[in-house]
Amino acid sequence: ETGVTQSPTHLIKTRGQQVTLRCSSQSGHNTVSWYQQALGQGPQFIFQYYREEENGRGNFPPRFSGLQFPNYSSELNVNALELDDSALYLCASSLAGAGGPTEAFFGQGTRLTVV
Amino acid sequence: AQKVTQAQTEISVVEKEDVTLDCVYETRDTTYYLFWYKQPPSGELVFLIRRNSFDEQNEISGRYSWNFQKSTSSFNFTITASQVVDSAVYFCALRLMNSGYSTLTFGKGTMLLVSP
């Protein structure tokens, strides 16, 4: 086990709704990244948070937003859900230090279905 | 921009066969890390290995071995004497060493099916 936990594990939402996914980082890790994995594809980077600030973003629209809390846990929010947002959402935590970030350890993911 | 290509979409083998999963990457940076992750049906990505671009030495860990060849931009993964528990989707990924991010660029994955 990686120590990274995500909730909920499954979720069904209607198009146009908003959703919040949660991630609890591995103890001691200060960096959280979120990835979207569509069926049959590799994970795609959404954004990364370091010490509560977004410090990197992939090619995702602004309706994808996030937060990182002082305890390094994180949320991913998606507004105005579209059918194409149906995917497995993965959270990864790592430790950023002087030598660069450590390996990313992933949670089990949240499977979001938009109908 | 970085790119990782895993040309094999699905591989089926019988238990005890050896199998090699191919990974080819593209980057203009000279310093980077390469990774392999395993994704069982539960969904969690399990870290298997990290190699940096300075170190082309092959690595063996039990039944797993990795062959990194910078000249061909390849980082192939071999499972010796495969077992049913090896059935999963395997992802190759790249991360730039000089980036402040821990962003990973993944390939599309290779699904490995090991039958008894």
Side-chain angles (χ1 to χ4, degrees):
Chain A
E1 284 201 7
T2 63
V4 180
T5 57
Q6 293 185 240
S7 62
T9 54
H10 294 83
L11 202 51
I12 300 176
K13 289 287 191 177
T14 303
R15 191 171 48 182
Q17 285 188 317
Q18 178 266 342
V19 69
T20 297
L21 310 182
R22 294 179 175 81
C23 172
S24 177
S25 302
Q26 181 166 318
S27 178
H29 283 184
N30 55 16
T31 302
V32 174
S33 305
W34 286 90
Y35 290 79
Q36 180 196 65
Q37 186 180 11
L39 200 61
Q41 302 294 314
Q44 297 288 315
F45 174 69
I46 303 175
F47 46 57
Q48 175 175 291
Y49 278 80
Y50 170 67
R51 292 187 175 179
E52 303 176 55
E53 297 284 334
E54 183 182 300
N55 74 338
R57 190 175 185 93
N59 189 26
F60 281 80
R63 58 190 186 82
F64 285 78
S65 63
L67 283 173
Q68 186 182 31
F69 300 99
N71 66 355
Y72 302 127
S73 65
S74 176
E75 286 182 357
L76 163 65
N77 299 290
V78 187
N79 294 321
L81 283 167
E82 301 176 359
L83 296 179
D84 284 349
D85 296 333
S86 296
L88 179 68
Y89 288 84
L90 293 160
C91 166
S93 76
S94 58
L95 176 63
T102 62
E103 287 77 54
F105 291 94
F106 287 81
Q108 83 283 8
T110 294
R111 187 161 298 282
L112 172 66
T113 302
V114 182
V115 298
Chain B
Q2 290 69 245
K3 185 178 179 181
V4 176
T5 301
Q6 294 179 255
Q8 303 150 309
T9 305
E10 184 174 320
I11 300 175
S12 293
V13 298
V14 177
E15 209 169 19
K16 297 185 184 177
E17 283 186 24
D18 298 347
V19 59
T20 296
L21 309 181
D22 297 334
C23 172
V24 174
Y25 62 92
E26 296 175 32
T27 178
R28 291 183 178 180
D29 278 55
T30 56
T31 54
Y32 47 87
Y33 293 106
L34 294 166
F35 299 80
W36 276 94
Y37 282 86
K38 174 181 180 180
Q39 188 175 45
S42 60
E44 182 175 334
L45 283 169
V46 178
F47 167 77
L48 295 177
I49 190 171
R50 179 185 82 170
R51 299 309 302 273
N52 70 52
S53 52
F54 302 134
D55 184 5
E56 287 192 69
Q57 198 168 22
N58 292 334
E59 183 157 339
I60 298 174
S61 175
R63 296 184 298 108
Y64 295 169
S65 63
W66 290 270
N67 181 274
F68 175 29
Q69 293 197 335
K70 221 168 173 178
S71 60
T72 55
S73 297
S74 65
F75 186 42
N76 296 337
F77 173 30
T78 297
I79 303 175
T80 302
S82 59
Q83 300 176 1
V84 172
V85 293
D86 295 327
S87 296
V89 181
Y90 290 86
F91 290 96
C92 179
L94 178 147
R95 188 181 84 206
L96 299 182
M97 200 178 285
N98 292 327
S99 168
Y101 312 152
S102 56
T103 305
L104 292 160
T105 300
F106 285 88
K108 290 188 175 181
T110 297
M111 178 178 287
L112 175 64
L113 299 171
V114 182
S115 55

